[in-house]
Amino acid sequence: MKRTERVGAMIQILTGSPSKTYSLQYFCDLFGAAKSSISEDIRACNNALSFMDRGRLETGIGAKGGVRFVPHISDNELVQLQKEFCEKLSDPSRMLGGNFLYTSDIFFDPEFISRIALVFARKFRNCGADYVATVETKGIPLASDVARLLNLPLVIIRREAKVSEGSTVSINYFSGSYDRIQRMSMSKRAICPDTKALIIDDFMRGGGSISGITEIVGEFNSTVAGVGVAIAGVTPKKKKIDNYTSIVFLGEIDEENKKISVLPNNDIF
Amino acid sequence: MKRTERVGAMIQILTGSPSKTYSLQYFCDLFGAAKSSISEDIRACNNALSFMDRGRLETGIGAKGGVRFVPHISDNELVQLQKEFCEKLSDPSRMLGGNFLYTSDIFFDPEFISRIALVFARKFRNCGADYVATVETKGIPLASDVARLLNLPLVIIRREAKVSEGSTVSINYFSGSYDRIQRMSMSKRAICPDTKALIIDDFMRGGGSISGITEIVGEFNSTVAGVGVAIAGVTPKKKKIDNYTSIVFLGEIDEENKKISVLPNNDIF
């Protein structure tokens, strides 16, 4: 097998399972090659990967040494993504009345959310999370993609307790967006106690849902390692949670003049 | 730039956006290379990709010619996946009573669902679907991954009409699993009329939900191009829909003897 073929196959395997550690021995066995050749191949992979700046291989992971692909998005690609996001969101045809915008097309577009997911994967790759948590429904594809990039399990908190979830823990919380008490419910089987959550959601206004998630995972002695929301409302300024990262900020929705104000988060990193 | 580096970068780009067509000119401009070199690089990519048999590059796509990565899972990997799936599902600790099994850990495990998604991507890559449809909640990560692999938009049908969905169409249907009338609701903005849906879900017993999805997308003159469910119940034998593909079949759940019968679908391709 030629080096080019080995390097191509390694890039396919490693970038196809982001953040998953493979032992060097795995590749030695796969290709029937010596460790020294595999080490050289990894350097060649990194030369190839550096061209796009969308992630690189890290070595020396684990007791026996190993290699994994750490996904990345460059500052330039991030700024471009924020620009597109602002343009998409400020389209007045999204207005639904009552300060609501239609955003399902954005959050159910696999290509677009995979780019947003990369931003959160970059931001939170070292936050020490054991799992990614979200509350149904609109943020699920995004949270699922972040979980894939960080190689973490996903936990989906439900609005209602379902028989297929077994015994559950439920809480009530106040949602400012809907101006009413809402409920969320989580299976007792969903998480191990004393672990850390990375919370991902599509939208945050006052932070009611996110603080609800914090509370419900807290019932399992789980703490929050990070919070990423794709869109954060500019108002209310005082949120129920302090630390979060958003890609963009949604300002005023002026229905009379058909104007939606959206700004990039310039302090994202 | 060396060939090895170009091939590595091309594999990263193309496998990172499955089923998305890139023009050859895109790579000529990216690498400052002639079309003849890029064509040779594509051959070298396919030599590298053939090693794992997890997909290959197709060329000559579109009017000007182009290249895209078509994901694949080999028969061997499929059989291995079915074996693991059967083992996971037949674990008696999943029993929740009332013929329900806890499966959220399986359907929220990004690595495992990405392998199931590959099976559906292989099965349905030429079915002519314009979008992937699912009904909330448990099948969303799987459906989202299938959509990503086929480069199609995702449509999530809700249980209840939400204000953030704008005006919606709703239907009632009978769910055999829950033995009651259920409701589903879809935004009028979600799909273009006269398109084709690929329906993906986690579980099907009698086919009530799937025929509900068929009915609701039919309200938009949308027809069904294919149906993929990860798990299909052996009973009832007569389903509300005729054509579907499942990865495994779930047989009897014997709570007294703590036995769950699960079989692979041997006619999957």
Side-chain angles (χ1 to χ4, degrees):
Chain A
M1 211 177 169
K2 288 185 211 157
R3 163 141 295 150
T4 300
E5 293 172 19
R6 282 210 309 266
V7 167
M10 282 176 81
I11 287 180
Q12 183 190 19
I13 294 166
L14 288 158
T15 63
S17 296
S19 305
K20 180 175 168 180
T21 301
Y22 288 81
S23 67
L24 296 194
Q25 194 60 47
Y26 169 81
F27 290 107
C28 294
D29 296 343
L30 190 66
F31 299 131
K35 258 193 187 163
S36 55
S37 301
I38 298 298
S39 295
E40 267 183 69
D41 291 345
I42 290 172
R43 274 192 293 277
C45 286
N46 268 334
N47 283 339
L49 294 172
S50 67
F51 186 78
M52 292 304 286
D53 199 11
R54 288 185 187 160
R56 60 189 308 284
L57 304 186
E58 270 183 12
T59 51
I61 318 289
K64 287 189 179 173
V67 56
R68 71 173 170 210
F69 174 67
V70 180
H72 181 72
I73 183 168
S74 68
D75 290 349
N76 280 344
E77 285 201 83
L78 168 61
V79 168
Q80 178 58 31
L81 169 65
Q82 288 179 312
K83 200 171 151 248
E84 284 175 46
F85 204 174
C86 291
E87 280 165 12
K88 274 177 198 279
L89 271 180
S90 55
D91 175 350
S93 73
R94 300 193 171 280
M95 289 182 185
L96 295 172
N99 253 335
F100 283 95
L101 293 184
Y102 184 77
T103 59
S104 296
D105 59 321
I106 296 176
F107 289 107
F108 301 161
D109 171 351
E111 206 201 345
F112 196 72
I113 56 168
S114 72
R115 293 161 67 200
I116 300 179
L118 271 177
V119 179
F120 291 136
R122 175 179 164 182
K123 176 79 186 180
F124 296 114
R125 63 189 164 205
N126 296 317
C127 77
D130 301 293
Y131 63 97
V132 173
T134 194
V135 63
E136 59 185 351
T137 298
K138 229 190 300 171
I140 297 177
L142 174 60
S144 177
D145 216 37
V146 173
R148 188 178 66 82
L149 292 174
L150 295 176
N151 192 29
L152 294 175
L154 175 67
V155 169
I156 296 177
I157 296 157
R158 311 293 289 256
R159 294 286 174 192
E160 279 175 74
K162 293 271 174 186
V163 56
S164 61
E165 297 283 305
S167 43
T168 53
V169 170
S170 295
I171 61 151
N172 295 308
Y173 69 98
F174 182 77
S175 163
S177 301
Y178 289 91
D179 195 26
R180 64 163 185 248
I181 300 289
Q182 299 244 63
R183 202 171 167 75
M184 56 174 84
S185 169
M186 191 167 147
S187 173
K188 284 195 177 174
R189 298 179 184 227
I191 55 170
C192 299
D194 306 310
T195 48
K196 283 186 181 169
L198 168 60
I199 301 175
I200 298 290
D201 214 348
D202 57 314
F203 178 65
M204 180 176 84
R205 191 165 289 174
S209 288
I210 306 286
S211 77
I213 299 174
T214 306
E215 189 184 332
I216 203 165
V217 303
E219 293 289 326
F220 299 84
N221 279 329
S222 203
T223 53
V224 175
V227 175
V229 290
I231 308 169
V234 168
T235 56
K237 210 170 172 187
K238 175 87 188 124
K239 313 281 191 205
K240 283 183 188 156
I241 55 150
D242 296 322
N243 286 314
Y244 65 91
T245 297
S246 75
I247 312 284
V248 295
F249 290 107
L250 176 62
E252 201 195 351
I253 301 174
D254 178 349
E255 297 191 10
E256 206 175 311
N257 298 303
K258 301 256 170 230
K259 277 211 156 173
I260 303 168
S261 143
V262 193
L263 292 166
N265 173 9
N266 295 320
D267 298 322
I268 198 160
F269 289 116
Chain B
M1 210 176 168
K2 289 186 211 158
R3 163 139 297 150
T4 300
E5 293 172 19
R6 282 210 309 265
V7 166
M10 283 176 81
I11 287 181
Q12 183 190 20
I13 294 166
L14 288 157
T15 63
S17 295
S19 305
K20 181 175 168 181
T21 301
Y22 288 82
S23 67
L24 296 193
Q25 194 59 48
Y26 169 82
F27 291 107
C28 294
D29 295 344
L30 190 66
F31 300 131
K35 256 190 189 165
S36 55
S37 302
I38 298 298
S39 295
E40 269 183 67
D41 291 345
I42 290 172
R43 274 192 292 278
C45 286
N46 267 336
N47 283 338
L49 294 171
S50 67
F51 186 78
M52 293 305 286
D53 199 12
R54 288 185 188 161
R56 60 188 309 283
L57 304 186
E58 270 184 11
T59 52
I61 317 290
K64 286 188 179 171
V67 56
R68 71 172 171 210
F69 174 67
V70 180
H72 181 72
I73 183 168
S74 68
D75 291 350
N76 280 344
E77 286 201 81
L78 168 60
V79 169
Q80 178 59 31
L81 169 65
Q82 288 179 311
K83 200 170 152 249
E84 285 175 45
F85 205 174
C86 291
E87 280 165 11
K88 276 178 196 278
L89 271 181
S90 54
D91 175 350
S93 74
R94 299 193 171 280
M95 289 182 185
L96 294 172
N99 254 334
F100 283 95
L101 293 184
Y102 184 76
T103 59
S104 296
D105 58 321
I106 296 176
F107 289 107
F108 301 161
D109 170 351
E111 205 200 348
F112 196 72
I113 57 168
S114 72
R115 292 161 67 199
I116 301 179
L118 271 177
V119 179
F120 292 137
R122 175 179 164 182
K123 177 78 186 180
F124 297 113
R125 63 188 164 206
N126 296 317
C127 75
D130 301 293
Y131 63 97
V132 174
T134 195
V135 62
E136 58 186 351
T137 300
K138 228 190 299 171
I140 297 176
L142 174 61
S144 178
D145 215 37
V146 173
R148 186 179 68 83
L149 292 174
L150 296 175
N151 192 30
L152 295 175
L154 175 67
V155 169
I156 297 177
I157 296 158
R158 312 293 290 254
R159 294 287 175 192
E160 279 175 74
K162 293 271 175 186
V163 56
S164 62
E165 297 282 304
S167 42
T168 54
V169 171
S170 295
I171 61 151
N172 296 309
Y173 70 97
F174 182 77
S175 163
S177 301
Y178 290 91
D179 194 25
R180 65 163 185 250
I181 300 289
Q182 299 245 62
R183 201 172 168 74
M184 57 174 82
S185 169
M186 190 166 148
S187 173
K188 284 195 176 173
R189 299 179 183 227
I191 56 170
C192 300
D194 306 310
T195 48
K196 283 186 181 169
L198 169 60
I199 301 175
I200 298 290
D201 214 349
D202 58 313
F203 178 66
M204 180 176 84
R205 191 165 289 174
S209 289
I210 306 287
S211 78
I213 299 175
T214 306
E215 189 185 333
I216 204 165
V217 303
E219 293 288 326
F220 299 84
N221 279 329
S222 204
T223 52
V224 175
V227 175
V229 290
I231 308 169
V234 169
T235 56
K237 210 171 170 186
K238 175 86 189 126
K239 312 282 190 205
K240 283 182 187 157
I241 56 151
D242 295 322
N243 287 313
Y244 65 90
T245 299
S246 74
I247 312 285
V248 296
F249 290 107
L250 175 63
E252 201 196 352
I253 300 174
D254 178 349
E255 296 190 11
E256 205 175 313
N257 298 302
K258 302 255 170 231
K259 277 211 158 173
I260 303 167
S261 144
V262 193
L263 293 165
N265 174 9
N266 294 321
D267 298 322
I268 198 161
F269 288 116

